[in-house]
Amino acid sequence: MLASTALAACSDSGKPRLNWYVNPDGVPVFEKYAKECSTGDYDLEVQLLPSGATDQRTQLARRLAAEDSSTDLMNLDPVFVAEFANAGWLQEVEGPIADSVQQSVEGEGDYLSGAAETVTWDDKVFAIPLWANTQVLWYRKSLAEAAGLDMTKPVTWDQVIEAAAAEGGTVGVQANKYEAYVVWINALVQGAGGDIVSDTEAGRDAKVDLDSDAGRKAAAIIQKLADSPAAQPDLSVSNEGTSLGQMFPAEGPGEFMVNWTFVYKNYEPGDGKPTTPEQFKDLGWTRYPQTVAGEESKPPVGGIDIGVGAYSEHPDWAMEAAECITSKQAQVDLALDAGLMPSTNSAYDEVAASGNYPKDLIELFRTSVDEGGPRPKSAFYAMISGAIQARWHSPTSVDPDSTPEKSGKYLQDVLEGKSLL
Amino acid sequence: MSSTSVPAAALPAQKSGPSDRARAETRLGQKLVAPAIVLMLVVTAFPMLRAIYLSTFDYALTAPDDRNFVGLGNYLTALTDPLFWQTTGVTVLYMVVTVAVELVIGFIFAMVMHRVIFARGVIRTSILVPYGIITVVSGFAWQFAFSFQNGFINGWLPFVGDEFNWFGDTTPAVIAIMVSEIWKTTPFMSLLLLAGLAQVSEDMIEAAKVDGATWTQRLTKVILPNMRAAIMVAVLFRALDAYRIFDNIFVMTAGAQRTESISFLTYRQTIEQFQLGLGSALSVLLFLSVLLVAFLIVKLFRVDLAQARQES
């Protein structure tokens, strides 16, 4: 028994093995870096997590709650960092990287401040940003032109919905009952200058701000889309993948779609891709739509941060490996091979110089992360997210006169342990 | 068991109470079974006691320092929450509808399997195939079937449009989940009913036929009354199973559109939300409600379980 346990912790070469739990995006790059970042002391091995963010969180949390010593490194969605750090499941990051992250939060380091912000908790650094994702508005240039929409200027949600409806097109969003729906709602609320919750460091006593003009404006937009002919028929179960096919459908003028950065590589013509070069030329992109005309939008911030497990048997090696796999070159490779954008300015510069992406698109990604709106950072994030999903889903049931008020009260009750979720 | 009679003279003199050998065998039996009992207690009693203990705390896994003793507070929260009663209502609906439909279809299948003369093996196997499929797999299959994008259900049904989203509202989503559940577990019901059907004496049916009873009369006056114990066992097993419905909901709607059952609510509270206190309270309530369902069904059928097992 003891022998088999000892064997399990060792790789084929007999060196100790460090497990790196990864989400299934950019896996070939992870495997390459698992090899490159292995040293004479240890071997790094990639272990695959499920595809859904909630499932990834559940699997990691189950291991860490059981004080699993074989969880050495892990890819974390930004919203998990605060939860995991508060639970004591992550090693604190110290040294030059931590200093750089802290400076970047103030806008003075190499990390994009939106990305740096995601790894701090309680004034300490608990993970290293690997890639920083964000959403932009993808659209068919011909559709926008037919609707008379000037895409060189910021557009609002109202304009986008009306333009799509007028031309028989659609608007693609993520509105299934899952985390990405909260991403949308959070961006809408923040775009109107509000917040879902504030003072989140107070834990269960955080201030719920949803019952506000910003909350009502966000609800009005969701209601408007749900009631519009521009809504896609699967609106209530839509996800990042469902609206991709609506951009270049067999019939119809296409769509406006808010989605992550991977979309560009997804449509880029190539082997096995259904998009033709003519269609690809018709693909446009611009900053995330405004909730309120004239008020800067707050594009969602996502991505992946690398954390080191608190119960790892080799914390120093794991931290060393974490630095290696978040290196500038690794970030550049992820961007070029998998369309996952970097978290540092220096890596962004290199990706921009590579010519693999249009310059304006790269700059759009960078400013979107830097000026984006993170989701609430709280040890009770799962409750916040779940409570929002419970009261805002389905999109057809959202009403600006009642949803923000009811969901605000419900969220407060859930945080105080007075209500089931 | 042998029923050969032994002459009274050949029997050894009767002692009062069991013999030494019998007692030794009993002791040996107890020793042999002891490890299994200890193991059972460890794997069943410990988690249950731990759940009861945890249910008295306001405790989230991600905030270990904020753990507070709240006594029965979590039970009060759960029992006064409309969500608890709504999910319980949906769960009971799943249970009643699926078990009722399965009872009827399962009985028809059981009759077919019982009476079929040709291709017996093939027919019996095809009826039982869905039960051999893992619930998660059948959940996915039915989710695809009901999908308006690549499913075939909308094309088959004349009264729904091609773009009708079955998972867009509570009623159609609940129906879709029920269809998947019924498809998956009807064979189990028919298997149990087939066993009951096999126990109904052919002589009795023949006698009823000779007396001029119609087919319906033979069914309602002879076959069904003689299958009461088997029907009860089938209904009890399936009802308890249906009350714990989880997989189909997890796969098909993930609990959206108010389709979640009490098991799903418990899962979400404990595993997704890390709310160990409230989640444990819910799991204890789920356990108690399963006991209640079992008690009600046994009472409803007024069957003596010992008699059903043909014990004296």
Side-chain angles (χ1 to χ4, degrees):
Chain A
M1 175 77 176
L2 193 65
S4 69
T5 311
L7 276 176
C10 288
S11 65
D12 294 342
S13 62
K15 287 185 282 183
R17 185 180 71 201
L18 300 190
N19 289 306
W20 174 19
Y21 285 90
V22 304
N23 51 318
D25 305 293
V27 173
V29 184
F30 294 148
E31 277 169 351
K32 179 182 156 200
Y33 275 88
K35 274 200 191 105
E36 284 190 12
C37 294
S38 293
T39 69
D41 293 324
Y42 56 85
D43 279 331
L44 208 52
E45 199 159 297
V46 166
Q47 310 286 351
L48 211 56
L49 287 169
S51 56
T54 308
D55 297 333
Q56 290 166 15
R57 169 178 167 275
T58 305
Q59 189 166 129
L60 287 172
R62 286 174 66 187
R63 287 180 170 274
L64 293 164
E67 305 193 0
D68 173 34
S69 62
S70 71
T71 307
D72 301 294
L73 293 121
M74 65 202 103
N75 283 16
L76 293 169
D77 189 286
V79 287
F80 307 157
V81 175
E83 278 188 321
F84 281 30
N86 199 66
W89 295 338
L90 295 176
Q91 295 271 355
E92 189 187 338
V93 180
E94 289 167 326
I97 287 194
D99 295 341
S100 174
V101 167
Q102 296 282 22
Q103 286 164 5
S104 301
V105 173
E106 310 296 324
E108 288 161 9
D110 190 24
Y111 290 97
L112 304 179
S113 63
E117 180 70 34
T118 65
V119 294
T120 59
W121 178 248
D122 205 12
D123 295 329
K124 291 177 195 149
V125 178
F126 282 97
I128 307 174
L130 175 59
W131 81 68
N133 216 340
T134 188
Q135 289 199 350
V136 301
L137 179 67
W138 304 93
Y139 63 96
R140 285 279 289 275
K141 290 175 187 168
S142 53
L143 171 61
E145 201 176 319
L149 208 54
D150 181 3
M151 301 304 284
T152 58
K153 294 183 185 143
V155 289
T156 63
W157 276 99
D158 286 334
Q159 286 174 322
V160 167
I161 295 167
E162 282 158 19
E167 294 303 316
T170 58
V171 177
V173 293
Q174 294 85 43
N176 196 0
K177 193 179 180 188
Y178 76 139
E179 180 56 31
Y181 188 37
V182 182
V183 169
W184 185 32
I185 296 166
N186 186 58
L188 290 173
V189 173
Q190 291 202 327
D195 271 312
I196 290 175
V197 289
S198 57
D199 193 18
T200 49
E201 305 243 341
R204 287 179 184 272
D205 300 324
K207 190 165 167 288
V208 178
D209 302 321
L210 208 46
D211 185 14
S212 62
D213 286 343
R216 281 181 281 278
K217 185 64 196 159
I221 287 168
I222 293 175
Q223 186 189 45
K224 181 168 184 167
L225 178 60
D227 292 345
S228 159
Q232 294 176 349
D234 60 347
L235 177 69
S236 65
V237 290
S238 54
N239 60 41
E240 285 90 342
T242 54
S243 53
L244 288 174
Q246 304 297 315
M247 188 62 84
F248 303 105
E251 284 173 28
E255 63 171 342
F256 292 91
M257 167 179 69
V258 286
N259 213 330
W260 304 98
T261 58
F262 74 93
V263 168
Y264 182 80
K265 288 281 170 199
N266 196 75
Y267 288 135
E268 196 176 35
D271 290 345
K273 300 269 186 72
T275 330
T276 63
E278 289 71 39
Q279 286 177 326
F280 190 58
K281 268 189 206 144
D282 198 26
L283 179 71
W285 47 82
T286 191
R287 185 168 166 138
Y288 200 80
Q290 294 179 344
T291 309
V292 178
E295 201 163 316
E296 288 266 7
S297 64
K298 288 281 181 186
V301 176
I304 284 294
D305 301 324
I306 302 283
V308 171
Y311 308 104
S312 167
E313 281 175 12
H314 310 288
D316 295 341
W317 288 344
M319 200 55 85
E320 182 184 298
E323 285 186 30
C324 178
I325 58 185
T326 55
S327 67
K328 185 171 91 176
Q329 193 53 48
Q331 295 190 25
V332 172
D333 286 353
L334 272 170
L336 299 185
D337 293 355
L340 303 162
M341 291 298 124
S343 61
T344 56
N345 278 305
S346 53
Y348 250 109
D349 292 341
E350 205 153 306
V351 174
S354 73
N356 271 28
Y357 287 91
K359 283 243 159 55
D360 63 325
L361 182 60
I362 284 288
E363 281 317 307
L364 175 63
F365 288 158
R366 193 193 317 228
T367 46
S368 292
V369 177
D370 243 359
E371 297 169 16
R375 282 161 279 169
K377 208 158 65 167
S378 163
F380 298 92
Y381 180 74
M383 281 186 215
I384 296 171
S385 174
I388 299 290
Q389 290 171 37
R391 286 294 178 271
W392 288 64
H393 199 267
S394 133
T396 47
S397 69
V398 172
D399 179 355
D401 294 332
S402 56
T403 308
E405 185 192 349
K406 279 186 193 161
S407 65
K409 168 134 193 5
Y410 178 58
L411 175 53
Q412 189 88 53
D413 284 348
V414 167
L415 283 172
E416 288 170 7
K418 289 184 193 157
S419 232
L420 287 174
L421 177 53
Chain B
M1 189 181 281
S2 166
S3 59
T4 316
S5 57
V6 180
L11 286 170
Q14 292 284 319
K15 279 186 191 174
S16 59
S19 65
D20 288 348
R21 183 176 166 171
R23 273 201 293 270
E25 278 182 354
T26 307
R27 275 199 300 276
L28 178 67
Q30 283 167 348
K31 277 179 195 159
L32 288 173
V33 87
I37 289 177
V38 170
L39 197 67
M40 284 277 287
L41 283 177
V42 170
V43 297
T44 59
F46 173 73
M48 274 158 68
L49 292 173
R50 173 107 178 126
I52 292 169
Y53 170 73
L54 279 174
S55 70
T56 58
F57 288 92
D58 179 11
Y59 176 32
L61 209 54
T62 50
D65 302 336
D66 295 344
R67 177 166 149 158
N68 297 310
F69 179 76
V70 289
L72 296 176
N74 285 329
Y75 292 94
L76 198 66
T77 301
L79 291 170
T80 54
D81 197 301
L83 185 62
F84 177 81
W85 295 107
Q86 188 252 318
T87 45
T88 305
V90 172
T91 311
V92 171
L93 185 72
Y94 283 128
M95 181 180 76
V96 171
V97 175
T98 58
V99 173
V101 174
E102 286 176 25
L103 190 61
V104 175
I105 304 176
F107 187 74
I108 295 169
F109 279 175
M111 291 288 261
V112 169
M113 288 197 280
H114 189 55
R115 295 283 174 218
V116 69
I117 300 164
F118 61 93
R120 200 179 186 129
V122 173
I123 290 175
R124 285 189 171 186
T125 310
S126 10
I127 287 178
L128 294 177
V129 160
Y131 193 59
I133 292 172
I134 297 162
T135 316
V136 172
V137 175
S138 91
F140 273 115
W142 280 101
Q143 189 195 30
F144 289 132
F146 276 104
S147 159
F148 70 89
Q149 285 168 318
N150 43 23
F152 57 83
I153 302 275
N154 282 359
W156 280 11
L157 299 177
F159 50 89
V160 296
D162 281 350
E163 295 211 326
F164 180 69
N165 179 6
W166 283 86
F167 303 108
D169 209 350
T170 308
T171 310
V174 165
I175 291 172
I177 290 168
M178 282 178 178
V179 168
S180 173
E181 185 77 3
I182 290 167
W183 180 82
K184 167 77 176 62
T185 47
T186 298
F188 176 65
M189 186 72 111
S190 59
L191 210 57
L192 293 176
L193 293 176
L194 177 64
L197 212 49
Q199 284 177 353
V200 180
S201 157
E202 286 293 327
D203 296 347
M204 271 198 288
I205 300 171
E206 278 300 316
K209 216 185 254 180
V210 169
D211 288 348
T214 62
W215 186 85
T216 319
Q217 283 169 331
R218 293 202 299 276
L219 180 70
T220 52
K221 307 276 186 201
V222 181
I223 300 176
L224 289 179
N226 278 293
M227 285 177 67
R228 204 171 71 171
I231 293 174
M232 193 222 58
V233 170
V235 168
L236 181 68
F237 278 23
R238 266 305 299 144
L240 296 185
D241 216 25
Y243 196 81
R244 293 180 293 114
I245 181 171
F246 178 83
D247 319 36
N248 273 319
I249 302 170
F250 187 86
V251 170
M252 296 174 83
T253 62
Q257 317 294 13
R258 296 168 163 239
T259 55
E260 66 183 9
S261 64
I262 193 84
S263 297
F264 198 94
L265 181 69
T266 308
Y267 158 82
R268 209 146 43 80
Q269 213 69 44
T270 319
I271 309 288
E272 270 185 22
Q273 305 297 332
F274 300 152
Q275 290 275 73
L276 297 192
L278 257 180
S280 300
L282 282 174
S283 63
V284 171
L285 289 173
L286 175 64
F287 172 70
L288 293 177
S289 51
V290 166
L291 280 185
L292 182 70
V293 170
F295 175 77
L296 289 177
I297 291 174
V298 172
K299 278 276 161 211
L300 188 75
F301 279 82
R302 293 195 196 89
V303 170
D304 180 357
L305 272 180
Q307 209 175 32
R309 286 197 301 264
Q310 298 191 331
E311 291 169 4
S312 55

